Amino acid sequence: MSFWSYQNPMMKNYPLSYQAVDKETEAESHYILSQHNSNGYTVGAPPKKRLTEEFSHTFREFFFHDDPLYQYKDKSKIRQCWLGLQNFFPILEWGRRYNLKMFKGDLIAGLTIASLCIPQDIGYAKLANVDPRYGLYTSFVPPLIYALMGSSRDVAIGPVAVVSLLLAEFLRREFDPTKNKEDYLRLAFTATFFAGLTQSILGFLRLGFIVEYLSHAAIVGFTAGAAITIGLQQLKGLFGITNFTTHTDIVSVLHAVFRNAHHGWNWQTMLMGTIFLAYLLTTKYVALKNPKIFWLAASAPLISVIVSTFFVYITRADKDGVKVVGHITKGVNPPSLDLIYFSGPHLKKGIKIGVIAGFVGLTEAIAIGRTFAAIKDYQLDGNKEMLASGVMNIAGSFTSCIVATGSFSRSAVNFMSGCHTTVPNIVMSLIVLLTLLVITPLFKYTPNAIISAIIINAVIGLVDLGAAYKIYKVDKMDFLACMGSFLGVVFKSVEVGLLISVTLSLAKILIQITRPKIFILGNLPRTTTFRNIEQYPEAIRIPGVLVIKVDSAIYFANATYIREKILRWLRDEEDLNRHHGLARTQHLILEMSAVTDIDTSGVHEVEELFKILKRLYIQLELVNPGPLVMDKLLSANFIDLLREEHLFVTVGDAVANCFAKSKDQEEA
């Protein structure tokens, strides 16, 4: 017999180009493999567990994989109570180490993000089709609660563009924000309450993994699509258009813009909006080139509001068709608990909108928090973040707030400003309180064009072409999910884009589960190591032996596919052997070290594979099945059927045994 290797076992056109291995390498590899053993080790069987033990282990790994109770071990009752309070209120933990130096950095960061948040709050409130004051309310109460309960040092809380657009999209289907203003507002508060309740339940039950079903690629596409949709909708304010579409897709928006081109555009508004948009984009570009002057871009929105408001006031441009924000009611957040729908026909609608908004807001906040936590090298507790987000939104729904979450633009400014803790959220909240009590009348003459320019400037950064290109290079299936969610948002609606995001993310998981990786192994010359022959073209195929590795758990969803795939490869192997005049395959070695689990369907298909191979006079050899797999194979009596002499610790052991048996047969 001789050793052979070939380039690509996945090609459909057989026979493939063969390449003979030199005789010296063949002889040396044959000798090494024939002498190989694992010092007499055999595949061990794990100790038998009772049903209650298995359930308890699974439960702990599912909900408490990070062992959160370890910190309470061997502690006094008082200490345990204090640690419990710190777990819910991280401020009690880092507050003991807080000092004046940290406060200086936090104060500067808080003042900086406050200057950015005030104009953004007005804009995002208008984006959600509610009065501007509700945007300011949302940057007062929720940030205070997050400062006490949040675990991220960098996340800045408030209304955000994507969630505001989502609220507007869903709420407008139920009530007209102009004709049914009160009902629209009540449903908004109801959605905020259930968004918070959803987030709290996820955090309390430690179900944070559910958020991961929105993959990174889908989030990139969804966010970019939402950013473009939001930006296009701001053309209404930027051009001073009065009659505009209620749809959010790109075709309807552009049609509405150009339909009003001859008589609906206001040139004063366009001029003012374009100038200030150019100013905002320029300061952002300069700040990106020189991060030390980040404050230039951070303060630009507030400067734009002040200058444009003063200009409109002294010229009375509002009388020439320049649309302005108008009167904003002074005062702190009024209570809104009695406005929430806890019963009636609108309850289900509020729950639906709230759950979706809660998931999207939570995904954005955790993604932002993890990004900056990785840069600063500290751990972010996802479950604490969910609980903090949930409580702040529940409290917000009781105090006239819309859904709040982590804002990327504010968090980036917070990070660049040198924040140390969550105190900047408190500083920002107090500045917003001062604004609500004193300054709100000054926004009466603020032009809508400036608010639109500020929103466009904020959402441009959400279109991450670099991330999309990286996704394309790394994983084409991920790129498909990215583009699917992007096109769904841009050409249809936020809801469709979100549905496509989740669907494609789940589809990828299903494909990976139902069509797992299976590959043929070859021997690396002069070693006892076996590797994938696609990745290592120099790996040698063993004559008379087919070595296959399954790189996945074997479940009902993929068990039949795995069996059929192995049999197809065996058929192709036999065709190649006949074509080249080689000995027929006598052993099929199944490397199972990567098979983490197997269910009853999987065991059944392995038994079927064994029976089919037996009819073909081919011996099945199993290599290194894990403890869970071994336990189930033993319980199903398959090991008795296979016999223990066909279980091996390594592929080298199995091949050496095959050589020994072949030699014995030849001598006999």
Side-chain angles (χ1 to χ4, degrees), residues 1 542-546 573 577 582-588 658:
M1 294 192 299
I542 306 299
V545 179
L546 179 61
E573 182 82 359
N577 289 338
L582 299 175
R584 61 179 295 276
T585 302
Q586 296 177 325
H587 302 273
L588 191 147
C658 295

Side-chain angles (χ1 to χ4, degrees), residues 15-34:
L16 300 172
S17 57
Y18 269 67
Q19 177 183 357
V21 179
D22 62 89
K23 296 295 182 181
E24 182 181 348
T25 301
E26 173 188 342
E28 187 173 351
S29 294
H30 188 288
Y31 175 76
I32 292 172
L33 287 169
S34 63

Side-chain angles (χ1 to χ4, degrees), residues 174-186 341:
E174 309 302 332
F175 298 109
D176 187 290
T178 304
K179 298 178 181 178
N180 304 100
K181 190 173 182 179
E182 184 178 348
D183 291 328
Y184 183 93
L185 196 59
R186 291 187 65 182
Y341 291 116

Side-chain angles (χ1 to χ4, degrees), residues 521-657:
L521 301 183
N523 174 233
L524 295 180
R526 302 181 181 88
T527 73
T528 59
T529 303
F530 284 76
R531 290 292 182 266
N532 185 352
I533 62 175
E534 284 188 314
Q535 186 177 1
Y536 298 89
E538 68 275 18
I540 301 170
R541 298 288 296 279
I542 306 299
V545 179
L546 179 61
V547 186
I548 293 177
K549 182 174 182 178
V550 179
D551 203 14
S552 164
I554 304 178
Y555 293 122
F556 65 92
N558 61 23
T560 302
Y561 167 79
I562 291 172
R563 176 176 60 81
E564 291 177 349
K565 183 74 173 177
I566 291 172
L567 291 174
R568 284 199 301 272
W569 265 343
L570 182 63
R571 178 200 64 195
D572 296 335
E573 182 82 359
E574 291 295 272
D575 289 345
L576 289 167
N577 289 338
R578 282 194 296 270
H579 179 78
H580 291 278
L582 299 175
R584 61 179 295 276
T585 302
Q586 296 177 325
H587 302 273
L588 191 147
I589 299 174
L590 199 57
E591 216 278 40
M592 302 184 72
S593 60
V595 180
T596 56
D597 197 3
I598 189 169
D599 66 359
T600 52
S601 297
V603 172
H604 174 74
E605 293 298 336
V606 172
E607 288 177 348
E608 285 296 307
L609 177 64
F610 172 78
K611 293 174 183 177
I612 293 171
L613 293 176
K614 190 174 182 180
R615 290 197 295 269
L616 297 173
Y617 300 100
I618 297 173
Q619 178 61 51
L620 176 65
E621 321 281 356
L622 296 186
V623 172
N624 197 28
L628 205 57
V629 176
M630 190 66 180
D631 180 51
K632 293 183 179 180
L633 292 178
L634 283 168
S635 299
N637 297 321
F638 177 72
I639 300 302
D640 295 336
L641 184 67
L642 180 69
R643 298 197 307 274
E644 288 189 5
E645 60 263 30
H646 298 293
L647 284 171
F648 301 94
V649 176
T650 68
V651 175
D653 286 344
V655 173
N657 183 72

